[in-house]
Amino acid sequence: MAKSKIEEYSKIIRPQNFDEIMMLAERVRGRRIKMVNATAIGGGVAEILTRVIPLFNELGIKTKWEVIKGSGEFFGVTKALHNALHNNKAEITEQMLNIFNETTKTNIAEMIFDEDVVIIHDPQPAGLIAAKEKSKAKWVWRCHIDTSHPQPDAWNFIKGFVEKYDASIFSTPWFAKVLPIPQYFIYPAIDPLAEKNRELSAHEINTVLQKYKVDRSRPIITQISRFDYLKDPLGVIETYKLVKKHIDCQLVLAGGGATDDPEGGQVLSEVQEAAKGDPDIHILLLPPFADLEINALQRASTVVLQKSLREGFGLTVTEALWKAKPVVASAVGGITLQVIHNFTGMLVHSVEGAAYQTRYLINNPQIAKKLGEYGREHVREKFLITRKIRNYLLLLIALDNPGRDVIQL
Amino acid sequence: MRAKEPFKFHTSSQLVEITGRKAANLKEFLEIIKEINDSSIFYHVHHAFREHQFAPGHYTNDFAHWIGEELSENALAERLANINIKDYLEIQSLRQKIAEIIENHLKANPGNSNLTAKHKFYFCKNIGVVQKTKYIAWELEEFCDMLNRVGLRSLFFHFFEARLRLGRKTNDFSDWIIHNFHNAALARQIEALDPYLYTMDQLRDQIISLICGKKEDFFGRLLKWLKAR
């Protein structure tokens, strides 16, 4: 799909808000930014960078994107760190930290940081800050994960890098830590014009559903997410089984993999085992760039689930809300910013709660519709890519004016 | 009638900074309220206005919301929600009022100071970036037209932010009307609008209705805007 032009967003958000973004962009035109993360494909960070970087460039902010390189061993270490930062048991040994540091050094040797601002996404490339002393850039660490209750050893290791940055960005206030640098609060966002979120015709939706042999005449419960224990795919199957006792429904559990997630295969095989023998459970391992399929599956769903045990923000929830779908989601991480219980969706705390709310919404389609409508407006105001661009523009201005609460341009 | 000085519409965008201060109970909350910087108080009393544009929220400020939802101190939450920020010309007196209400509540309910919330209150503050827009009005009719064209952030800036954060005694619209058109009654009517009863779109409609005697709904404004573009 062709990249979207910035003007197209003026038809989706309030035109006045669009004009304000253009005014802010005028003030920082010509700045050079480098974004760095750990994977070019898969996962929410890569996805949003794919969309946001062309728009920055169109606004006159010269933005590059680079991905760090690492062996399977390195990504095994970063996955363990990721789990530990999410307060899951993970052994972090001295040897693992050495692997992390060595890979960081190798990456620094291969990269040049001659931009005005360097934005490093998530813990995997956090160690690149060691290159700061040879660069004139302002360095910002963007944390996309839930660091509210990290394992202390893992956080202390990452903190050693983070406190050397000029600023940090977190997705919610409760992920922030005690740090000697400014901590800004910027919501992640989705792109309403991306293939994954654009409006689809009934024909496009039906084609995808037929391809995966999903029956549109019966209720469809869907969870879209990577096959990751933290997304609780086994809990989703349990939820479905409880609903199935009362309603003849189907479950679609669909997701792709990410190159920085070595656990995915194991989780998928456990999920397939749990789903064995039930033809109404559709386990779909989607390839990268299956955005049209995901879009169609979400739009065809009767209820969208996000039964995560931990969640950074949960962009799949944002996607479902934008499609005006009734959402039943765990009250974890950034999901609670998106799903206002009984207003923009339903928040739950257990398999039983998820099953009950799913049954309730399937049986009360008018209420489900209302929640979906409010959910869409909530996303329009807060979680679209245009809001994110506005915030990044403000960040660039704030970096030029440290310590000021009111900046008159 | 033409004004001596035109009304120049500004707008203000906010970047939110997390202060790192957090409270788990009323005792901690009160201590922080007394010393946190002005920008944080400003952020939490206005945030609901700025963010919930499509539907008014249950509580009018973040403090009342947390105390009601997380501590179940509903009477205290209602008292805090009832503070009218338009009654205050600077943050310090607003801060004192918030602290006074909490202190009085704790005096009457001394056992409640250590009730622990499930989720802590995280104090944030905002960094406001103020810009001039291209919209300038010399006459009242033109003013209404421009008010229709500017974003809600501009309305927020002139109606709320200019008063409390920049220390002006009234909203900017009333100030301009009284100094340029000597229409004290109209200025008072605008100042008397109760923002707690409206979304920002509705507040804009009310102001336009008072000045120009007509009311245009959001879709009407949108259509007009698109035509003008």
Side-chain angles (χ1 to χ4, degrees), chain B residues 40-49 60-63 85 91 94 98 164 196:
Chain B
S40 181
I41 302 276
F42 179 84
Y43 171 77
H44 289 293
V45 298
H46 289 95
H47 166 234
F49 287 108
T60 55
N61 64 64
D62 293 346
F63 302 141
I85 46 181
I91 302 275
L94 176 61
I98 295 166
L164 198 53
Y196 296 102

Side-chain angles (χ1 to χ4, degrees), chain B residues 2-9 136-139 176 180:
Chain B
R2 194 173 164 84
K4 285 178 285 183
E5 295 289 333
F7 190 90
K8 295 176 182 172
F9 284 90
I136 294 175
W138 287 92
E139 294 168 4
W176 181 68
N180 287 277

Side-chain angles (χ1 to χ4, degrees), chain B residues 25-145:
Chain B
N25 56 47
L26 273 181
K27 190 175 166 218
E28 291 173 5
F29 185 81
L30 180 59
E31 281 167 12
I32 297 173
I33 283 285
K34 287 178 175 175
E35 60 189 37
I36 195 90
N37 80 9
D38 286 357
S39 190
S40 181
I41 302 276
F42 179 84
Y43 171 77
H44 289 293
V45 298
H46 289 95
H47 166 234
F49 287 108
R50 291 187 67 94
E51 293 300 324
H52 295 122
Q53 294 173 0
F54 69 96
H58 181 51
Y59 290 108
T60 55
N61 64 64
D62 293 346
F63 302 141
H65 180 85
W66 180 73
I67 286 169
E69 296 291 316
E70 294 292 333
L71 295 175
S72 300
E73 291 272 22
N74 298 321
L76 176 59
E78 285 174 8
R79 282 185 201 110
L80 289 172
N82 198 41
I83 293 176
N84 191 334
I85 46 181
K86 284 175 59 199
D87 293 341
Y88 299 88
L89 297 179
E90 32 88 26
I91 302 275
Q92 189 55 22
S93 54
L94 176 61
R95 179 203 305 275
Q96 281 168 359
K97 183 67 183 174
I98 295 166
E100 180 192 312
I101 290 173
I102 298 170
E103 280 169 337
N104 287 342
H105 180 80
L106 289 179
K107 271 182 205 159
N109 306 276
N112 293 10
S113 64
N114 289 317
L115 290 175
T116 305
K118 193 173 159 199
H119 300 103
K120 293 176 181 172
F121 187 91
Y122 292 81
F123 287 84
C124 296
K125 65 173 191 169
N126 59 7
I127 294 165
V129 175
V130 181
Q131 280 183 288
K132 283 180 191 167
T133 72
K134 61 186 177 188
Y135 299 109
I136 294 175
W138 287 92
E139 294 168 4
L140 286 174
E141 186 83 13
E142 191 183 19
F143 175 87
C144 290
D145 188 33

Side-chain angles (χ1 to χ4, degrees), chain A residues 14-15 183 381 390 405 407, chain B residues 13 18 51 128 130 201 225:
Chain A
R14 290 170 186 255
Q183 302 176 69
E381 284 184 1
R390 176 194 285 270
D405 286 343
I407 302 165
Chain B
S13 295
I18 306 159
E51 293 300 324
V130 181
D201 279 310
W225 169 268

Side-chain angles (χ1 to χ4, degrees), chain A residues 184-201:
Chain A
Y184 298 110
F185 163 30
I186 297 181
Y187 294 126
I190 60 162
D191 185 346
L193 299 177
E195 187 72 352
K196 199 189 260 187
N197 298 309
R198 69 175 175 89
E199 295 294 328
L200 294 182
S201 67

Side-chain angles (χ1 to χ4, degrees), chain A residues 230-296:
Chain A
L230 296 180
K231 310 294 182 189
D232 199 17
L234 297 170
V236 171
I237 293 176
E238 284 181 60
T239 301
Y240 155 79
K241 287 179 176 171
L242 288 177
V243 177
K244 184 82 171 176
K245 287 180 183 174
H246 304 270
I247 300 167
D248 180 18
C249 58
Q250 304 156 91
L251 174 67
V252 174
L253 198 44
T259 53
D260 63 342
D261 183 8
E263 264 177 14
Q266 186 186 332
V267 179
L268 177 63
S269 62
E270 288 179 34
V271 167
Q272 285 167 332
E273 181 62 29
K276 201 183 268 181
D278 187 338
D280 283 335
I281 301 181
H282 303 269
I283 308 293
L284 310 178
L285 181 61
L286 300 174
F289 308 113
D291 293 350
L292 172 66
E293 284 82 352
I294 290 172
N295 190 345

Side-chain angles (χ1 to χ4, degrees), chain A residues 132-197:
Chain A
K132 185 185 174 191
E133 57 191 36
K134 289 183 184 169
S135 119
K136 289 179 182 168
K138 296 269 174 71
W139 286 64
V140 178
W141 185 61
R142 202 315 175 202
C143 178
H144 294 271
I145 63 175
D146 177 350
T147 46
S148 52
H149 302 93
Q151 301 258 341
D153 288 351
W155 171 247
N156 286 335
F157 177 68
I158 293 299
K159 184 184 170 193
F161 301 119
V162 172
E163 55 194 13
K164 293 176 185 155
Y165 283 76
D166 294 296
S168 56
I169 305 170
F170 290 86
S171 297
T172 80
W174 54 90
F175 293 172
K177 315 303 296 177
V178 176
L179 288 171
I181 57 172
Q183 302 176 69
Y184 298 110
F185 163 30
I186 297 181
Y187 294 126
I190 60 162
D191 185 346
L193 299 177
E195 187 72 352
K196 199 189 260 187
N197 298 309

